[in-house]
Amino acid sequence: MRFSQAICFAVLALLLAAAAALAWLARDLPLEPGWARGLLRADGLTALLGACTALIGLAEVAGGRSPARAAAAATLLCVGYLSAHLAGLGVALLGAAILLGGRRAVPIGASLAVAVGLALIALQAGTWRYPVPTAGLGLNSLSFALILLGTLAAAGAAALPSTQPGAPPPPAWPLLAAGCLYALLRLFSLGPWNLGWLYAAMLLGGAMALWAAVRAIASHPREWLGRYYLALGVAGAGLASGAGVALAAFALIALAALRLALSEEPPLAPSADGEPPSAESAGRGLLWLLSGALPFTAPFTAAWAAVAGALAGELSLLAVALWAAALLAALALARAAVGPAGSDPPVAGTPWLRLAAGLSLAAGVGAPALVWLLVEPAVAQLQAGLTPFGELALWPWAGLLALDASRQPVATLPSLALAALMLVLGALAWVVSRLLGSWRDQRHG
Amino acid sequence: MGEALGALGLAWPRLLLYPGGLSALLGAWLLARWLGRNSPTPAASLVDLLPPLLALSLLPLPPARAFPYGLDLPTSLALLLWPWLRALAQSGEIEPGRLRVRAPGGALLLLAMLLLAEGAGAIELSALLRAPTEGWRWALLIAGGLAWIGAVQRLGALRGGDLSVWLGAWGLLLVGALPLLGGLAELLAGRLPEGWAGWLLPPLAALIAALFAGALARLGKRP
């Protein structure tokens, strides 16, 4: 690891710790320091998206070609999240776009669209500060459309219709997309969305997730699955519920784990004697923990929150579409997990792969803790803008429950109970297999 | 915390005897003999074996004592399909061209989920056993259960492999049989001696589901 990369890691680790601390401090009430004269504000959403952005930043620093720029962009975005002034967020997004993409049209265009959308809201409301009660008067369809389209553009939606099957897609901008998603979710602070906006976000997010998951099976899972997770985040915003916010959070965590595990570099060529490249170890099997095929992982939790949230909102067709996307996404990484060393997609080195698998496992098994620490405060503070269709409740010492509008359980994910029972069952099965083995040995020997 | 530990303590009969443990192994063996015409080979690894065994242990099947931490459709499907998915990946069948063959099965699975969710109003497995008040919900639930079995048969998840794949297949069949079990319990309520329903109806529902899967398999083999 280079020295500059280590510095970037340290900065992002500090950001992650700060976001966790902020989640604790702003759990009951948002923090608004008096000396900042209303320019700074930190609440649950700031902490939640701050933590997710720091995680994605860590993944970009580990695997990207310009770690310093990625770290600077993640830091700038987190500072932007602290701004109570809509212009502050817009400037942070533009700055991050320039840092990440230089003069490339997509990041600049996406961040500009979001910044203009935020500016239009402020101009129409007559205030630039979003915590002001009258700021919600500025919400309008044009601003919403600009912010939604900017988020989708940063997530790389344009590549879906324009890329030939099998061809490498142009890069997506996950850090920038996380920032745009923050702007989209921040609109809930201004007031409830109208039904058309909700449907637009759900349909565009759901369609993009399904399309990207289909593409991921054929080739380039790193790029297409990245788009799948970002689209899930947009669909989560469209659900406008506690489950939707949780979906956005778990999708971003799963995205960070994916980008940490799969390398941006092209596959290494086999050595002269035909042996697979030694840099890629036998750790490819760890990709199973990132595939979403097992219920103890972050990708599965994201898919579960998507299906449960849609069903709790009585959107069965959306739930089925999101489940189909999740199954296809699982197939894409299942294929990668059994590929020989050196095959496509190239995986990161073993330490990164282990870290990614650990992150996925920790976020999956520890989903109730994450929901308690990060998601619940954000949902409670955005409550005025969210709908009651699809609340995610903690199931004490067991896992998560998705509740419908009448607070009846619709779906259950007892991740902690499953993990505990799996340990018990594993121990039992191991003892039985050892006993059978020794019995066979005695019989034959 | 105490409640959770107490619940885990109550899980022993489920893990060891029924619906997981020995009864699951017996069910998987019978299913392998019925659909695969062979005894299942030993599981390749514990990693493959444990998820379907866990899902089977938590199925809401009488007469096992109710367990407070039940599963829902996505979670149980993931646990039960795990060994099949691993086998599918290792056989190199996850290629866009080869997957198209399984697309109708996948579509049927999604349709089954839609029908079950609409019929039960939830995707919890225990909700599939509850008797709905409206007739159309009954129809959706039964159709969903049959579509579920048809889907897993069409996907190839009932064609077998080692013991872990057959355990998954047995679990998938039982999940599809849940609406049927709920229907039988409602139909025969009060007509069976007290306490008999819990012992008689789950094997009966599983038998009907296995016969249906067998019929589908035979039909599929016809030229």
Side-chain angles (χ1 to χ4, degrees):
Chain A
M1 189 190 291
R2 297 189 305 274
F3 181 69
S4 61
Q5 203 180 17
I7 296 281
C8 294
F9 272 122
V11 169
L12 289 167
L14 273 178
L15 270 184
L16 190 60
L22 195 61
W24 180 255
L25 292 173
R27 187 166 178 80
D28 297 323
L29 275 178
L31 301 178
E32 288 187 78
W35 52 263
R37 301 181 183 228
L39 290 177
L40 292 182
R41 186 175 189 268
D43 63 0
L45 186 64
T46 313
L48 175 63
L49 265 286
C52 293
T53 304
L55 275 177
I56 297 173
L58 280 170
E60 295 299 296
V61 167
R65 289 181 182 140
S66 47
R69 281 171 177 265
T75 310
L76 187 58
L77 285 172
C78 288
V79 172
Y81 299 164
L82 287 171
S83 167
H85 202 277
L86 290 174
L89 178 57
V91 168
L93 285 170
L94 277 168
I98 293 168
L99 275 171
L100 291 166
R103 290 183 186 173
R104 291 200 209 183
V106 172
I108 295 279
S111 58
L112 206 56
V114 177
V116 170
L118 294 172
L120 283 177
I121 290 174
L123 291 173
Q124 192 163 335
T127 174
W128 284 85
R129 292 188 59 242
Y130 74 79
V132 174
T134 54
L137 297 174
L139 269 178
N140 61 80
S141 295
L142 178 62
S143 302
F144 176 81
L146 281 171
I147 295 172
L148 177 63
L149 292 178
T151 308
L152 289 170
L160 285 160
S162 65
T163 308
Q164 293 294 319
W173 308 95
L175 267 176
L176 186 62
C180 296
L181 191 60
Y182 170 83
L184 191 65
L185 290 168
R186 182 51 79 196
L187 297 186
F188 289 121
S189 292
L190 305 182
W193 297 5
N194 76 37
L195 216 52
W197 303 352
L198 295 176
Y199 279 127
M202 272 186 287
L203 286 179
L204 290 175
M208 181 176 162
L210 189 56
W211 198 347
V214 170
R215 284 292 185 88
I217 290 187
S219 66
H220 301 93
R222 182 179 194 263
E223 296 302 329
W224 292 122
L225 288 181
R227 284 167 169 81
Y228 158 72
Y229 288 124
L230 291 170
L232 279 188
V234 174
L239 288 174
S241 62
V245 176
L247 163 60
F250 282 104
L252 291 180
I253 294 171
L255 170 69
L258 175 87
R259 296 199 56 105
L260 202 54
L262 297 183
S263 168
E264 198 182 0
E265 305 295 330
L268 295 171
S271 59
D273 52 357
E275 286 292 310
S278 57
E280 191 183 305
S281 68
R284 202 168 252 270
L286 288 173
L287 288 180
W288 281 109
L289 292 177
L290 300 164
S291 68
L294 260 188
F296 317 102
T297 57
F300 180 86
T301 310
W304 177 84
V307 173
L311 276 173
E314 299 185 1
L315 298 158
S316 304
L317 277 177
L318 179 69
V320 168
L322 292 174
W323 199 9
L327 290 173
L328 292 168
L331 285 175
L333 270 194
R335 182 181 173 214
V338 296
S343 63
D344 189 52
V347 296
T350 309
W352 299 127
L353 203 51
R354 284 189 183 149
L355 189 62
L359 173 64
S360 174
L361 206 57
V365 176
L370 282 179
V371 167
W372 175 78
L373 179 68
L374 290 171
V375 178
E376 271 193 347
V379 171
Q381 288 159 15
L382 294 177
Q383 204 65 58
L386 298 176
T387 68
F389 298 101
E391 192 187 329
L392 219 57
L394 293 174
W395 202 358
W397 298 103
L400 295 171
L401 287 169
L403 307 174
D404 62 12
S406 56
R407 294 196 62 80
Q408 290 301 309
V410 174
T412 53
L413 181 62
S415 56
L416 291 174
L418 283 181
L421 285 174
M422 187 71 104
L423 282 177
V424 172
L425 201 56
L428 273 174
W430 183 79
V431 168
V432 170
S433 68
R434 290 298 296 257
L435 286 175
L436 280 176
S438 63
W439 176 70
R440 269 195 213 117
D441 290 346
Q442 278 178 0
R443 221 174 136 201
H444 295 295
Chain B
M1 180 75 174
E3 192 185 330
L5 286 175
L8 291 181
L10 291 176
W12 286 104
R14 286 182 162 269
L15 291 175
L16 293 174
L17 297 174
Y18 177 83
L22 290 176
S23 67
L25 292 171
L26 178 66
W29 183 80
L30 286 172
L31 192 67
R33 298 291 304 173
W34 164 238
L35 292 178
R37 303 291 170 116
N38 259 320
S39 298
T41 52
S45 73
L46 275 184
V47 174
D48 291 340
L49 192 69
L50 292 183
L53 259 182
L54 182 60
L56 277 159
S57 303
L58 298 184
L59 288 182
L61 287 174
R65 193 186 297 182
F67 187 66
Y69 306 126
L71 301 177
D72 59 14
L73 279 175
T75 313
S76 56
L77 184 73
L79 290 168
L80 292 168
L81 275 185
W82 169 254
W84 173 77
L85 182 63
R86 298 246 304 169
L88 193 74
Q90 270 148 13
S91 66
E93 286 194 49
I94 306 183
E95 294 288 339
R98 300 178 78 177
L99 274 180
R100 267 187 209 114
V101 181
R102 298 182 194 262
L108 195 56
L109 186 71
L110 296 173
L111 175 70
M113 186 214 164
L114 186 64
L115 293 171
L116 292 172
E118 284 295 316
I123 48 172
E124 277 184 290
L125 291 186
S126 55
L128 303 182
L129 277 173
R130 278 182 224 132
T133 45
E134 300 99 334
W136 61 273
R137 283 191 185 273
W138 268 122
L140 288 180
L141 272 177
I142 297 293
L146 295 178
W148 179 276
I149 295 169
V152 293
Q153 202 280 329
R154 192 80 204 255
L155 276 173
L158 300 181
R159 276 182 218 144
D162 64 15
L163 179 64
S164 59
V165 180
W166 280 114
L167 276 169
W170 175 240
L172 289 166
L173 210 61
L174 288 178
V175 170
L178 286 178
L180 189 63
L181 178 57
L184 286 172
E186 182 71 7
L187 199 69
L188 300 173
R191 296 184 194 180
L192 288 173
E194 196 178 337
W196 282 37
W199 293 96
L200 278 182
L201 297 186
L204 183 61
L207 181 67
I208 295 172
L211 288 173
F212 180 62
L216 289 177
R218 304 293 183 278
L219 281 174
K221 277 182 191 164
R222 277 195 180 176

